[in-house]
Amino acid sequence: MFVDQVKIYIESGRGGDGIVSFRREKYVPNGGPDGGDGGRGGDVIFKVEDGLNTLIDFRHKKHYKARSGSPGEGSNRHGKDADDMIIEVPQGTIIREAESGKVILDLAGDVKEKVLLKGGKGGKGNQHYATPTMQIPRFAQSGQDGIGLWVILELKMIADVGLVGFPNVGKSTFLSVVSNARPKIANYHFTTLQPNLGVVKTGYGKSFVVADIPGLIEGAHTGIGLGHEFLRHIERTKVLIHVVDASGLEGREPVDDVMKINLELENFNKILSSRPQVIAANKTDLIEAEEHLKLLKEKFEPEGINVFAISAATGKGVKELLNYVGEMLDNIKEEPTVFEQEYYIEDIPSSDNSVIEIAKDDNGVFVVEGEPVERMLGFTNLESEKGFAFFQKFMREKGIIERLEELGIEEGDTVRLYNLEFDYYK
């Protein structure tokens, strides 16, 4: 069975807790703090596996959670970092945030592996909190939570050429003749239930990848007949070959078929209808094809779409068609379509309702603490423009700025969020 879209839950590992510990040695009755830091939680990593061409392995396992880091130990021993969770997917897999449908990552082109969710940082042991005025700190930092997210994995095959056409026009036979693909072939409608990829080698030592897209039907762009599931696989292609049954033995009109297919492409994605096209008029070894072939040429060649008379069964005209398509690809310099990132992990809304405590200490420093603050500091890169913007947004949305102003903060006053200190300015 072919599966090209699944919904799964992913979650990075929680950081291990820092611990409270004090030296306990002979002749050292009042040893200082020596609590070690917790280990890092495991990352969630997506990796392209070349041997995969379907998402079927995700049908029965829906949850993928990395392990947590180990807690720290006494004698300043650091907790063990957790192993990463590596999720293998086929090349061409797009990862979307499930609720919004926005693209997080497109594993196409040069991108073969990517850390999607960072594991939580390990908490600091009490050794970090010793000061001249607090020599016996009896607290340590908790490990930061991992990040959880429902995502949709969507496979969009990567091929240079897409074969399109109505069911039973001979696409699978054509692909089996011109490439190393061995699709199942039978004489009934909607034969192919999954896309097939084949590598075509031309007489000039060149090669290109062809995807046989299952037979389309009218209304495919609305999802009828698994339309969405199949149409997505030609979004990356550079050239489209329309395969039509030129014999008309099943009562079809080849000219009408090409126009209907183009309409489905346009309604699904206007960019698809603008792709360079060529028409493969199949079954022209049959005498009934002569009139239909003439009509195809009269209609489409004035529009710049060449029509090739072929027979997938006998090989007639196939070599000429492939050489022409190879030349078309040579003249197309654009890179394969890669979908841009639309959703960033920093955009994940916090579901945390933990209390954020804000107070002014004896030295006039405004101290802000609480689990949401720890977690935000753990996965936000404040040195980046986007990370700093997220930090400012967090301070406003959590009411921290408003509460500081209620406590009488003035410009130049110091604010401390755990290990981060900064001067306050409006």
Side-chain angles (χ1 to χ4, degrees):
M1 178 180 290
F2 182 79
V3 177
D4 61 359
Q5 183 169 304
V6 293
K7 181 179 179 180
I8 64 172
Y9 181 79
I10 56 176
E11 185 176 339
S12 56
R14 186 180 186 277
D17 294 336
I19 69 160
V20 176
S21 175
F22 298 93
R23 289 175 59 195
R24 292 292 183 264
E25 300 177 21
K26 195 174 183 180
Y27 309 118
V28 187
N30 297 311
D34 68 351
D37 300 346
R40 175 188 60 82
D43 297 340
V44 175
I45 301 173
F46 279 84
K47 181 180 179 181
V48 170
E49 173 54 54
D50 292 334
L52 297 177
N53 59 7
T54 173
L55 300 173
I56 194 169
D57 292 342
F58 297 94
R59 289 189 68 210
H60 303 296
K61 184 179 179 183
K62 298 293 186 182
H63 289 77
Y64 295 81
K65 184 176 180 179
R67 294 183 179 276
S68 299
S70 299
E73 299 179 15
S75 301
N76 300 325
R77 289 194 294 269
H78 195 287
K80 182 180 178 182
D81 292 341
D83 293 335
D84 296 328
M85 167 68 70
I86 298 178
I87 302 175
E88 295 181 340
V89 295
Q91 186 178 20
T93 299
I94 292 177
I95 304 169
R96 299 180 184 272
E97 194 275 324
E99 185 174 349
S100 67
K102 292 182 178 179
V103 174
I104 302 174
L105 175 65
D106 185 359
L107 286 164
D110 296 331
V111 181
K112 302 294 183 182
E113 186 173 321
K114 182 77 172 180
V115 176
L116 200 73
L117 301 180
K118 294 285 291 182
K121 291 183 179 180
K124 296 183 182 299
N126 68 331
Q127 60 172 306
H128 295 278
Y129 298 101
T131 66
T133 58
M134 184 186 294
Q135 298 182 10
I136 310 176
R138 300 189 181 278
F139 57 91
Q141 188 182 36
S142 299
Q144 293 168 342
D145 289 338
I147 305 170
L149 187 66
W150 280 98
V151 296
I152 292 174
L153 307 185
E154 178 181 301
L155 178 58
K156 293 181 186 286
M157 284 188 168
I158 298 177
D160 301 300
V161 178
L163 298 181
V164 296
F166 278 89
N168 210 30
V169 296
K171 298 194 310 302
S172 296
T173 302
F174 175 79
L175 186 66
S176 68
V177 168
V178 304
S179 75
N180 57 354
R182 293 294 178 265
K184 294 180 180 180
I185 302 168
N187 188 29
Y188 55 87
H189 291 285
F190 230 81
T191 300
T192 310
L193 293 179
Q194 67 183 60
N196 290 292
L197 288 179
V199 178
V200 174
K201 295 182 179 180
T202 67
Y204 301 102
K206 298 180 180 179
S207 63
F208 52 86
V209 179
V210 178
D212 166 26
I213 309 304
L216 300 176
I217 60 176
E218 290 180 75
H221 71 278
T222 65
I224 295 176
L226 303 180
H228 283 167
E229 283 77 357
F230 296 152
L231 281 165
R232 68 167 60 98
H233 293 296
I234 52 177
E235 288 190 270
R236 297 192 198 271
T237 57
K238 299 176 182 178
V239 173
L240 297 177
I241 298 178
H242 289 260
V243 182
V244 296
D245 180 357
S247 72
L249 290 179
E250 293 197 5
R252 305 200 63 86
E253 295 291 337
V255 171
D256 189 47
D257 281 359
V258 174
M259 294 177 67
K260 286 178 177 177
I261 291 294
N262 276 335
L263 181 61
E264 293 302 321
L265 298 178
E266 182 177 3
N267 286 333
F268 179 73
N269 184 338
K270 289 187 180 299
I271 296 176
L272 284 180
S273 62
S274 64
R275 292 273 193 271
Q277 302 179 7
V278 62
I279 295 173
N282 194 23
K283 305 181 184 180
T284 53
D285 52 320
L286 303 178
I287 194 170
E288 295 86 354
E290 186 174 341
E291 181 61 26
H292 290 297
L293 180 61
K294 178 184 176 183
L295 293 173
L296 284 167
K297 288 179 174 290
E298 289 177 351
K299 169 62 180 174
F300 295 106
E301 290 194 340
E303 299 177 10
I305 302 175
N306 280 10
V307 179
F308 284 82
I310 72 165
S311 171
T314 67
K316 169 191 170 183
V318 171
K319 181 179 179 181
E320 292 78 7
L321 169 63
L322 296 180
N323 288 338
Y324 178 75
V325 171
E327 292 175 3
M328 292 177 71
L329 291 171
D330 288 341
N331 293 324
I332 298 174
K333 304 304 180 184
E334 66 182 44
E335 295 297 318
T337 301
V338 176
F339 293 82
E340 297 294 329
Q341 184 174 6
E342 302 169 323
Y343 187 94
Y344 296 83
I345 302 305
E346 290 89 344
D347 294 334
I348 298 176
S350 174
S351 59
D352 186 77
N353 295 317
S354 301
V355 174
I356 296 177
E357 297 181 353
I358 304 174
K360 187 176 182 180
D361 68 12
D362 295 338
N363 296 317
V365 175
F366 291 83
V367 180
V368 182
E369 295 181 341
E371 286 188 19
V373 177
E374 283 189 276
R375 182 161 53 253
M376 179 275 299
L377 292 174
F379 68 76
T380 303
N381 178 11
L382 295 177
E383 295 181 2
S384 71
E385 182 178 347
K386 185 171 181 63
F388 187 72
F390 175 73
F391 168 69
Q392 293 179 309
K393 179 181 177 182
F394 173 88
M395 294 283 285
R396 289 194 301 270
E397 291 185 348
K398 292 296 183 181
I400 295 173
I401 298 297
E402 182 180 357
R403 179 64 180 142
L404 288 171
E405 291 176 346
E406 289 176 356
L407 291 174
I409 195 170
E410 297 180 357
E411 290 195 358
D413 286 345
T414 301
V415 180
R416 183 169 66 238
L417 285 73
Y418 293 95
N419 59 341
L420 173 68
E421 278 195 5
F422 61 92
D423 293 334
Y424 172 80
Y425 290 98
K426 288 188 176 180

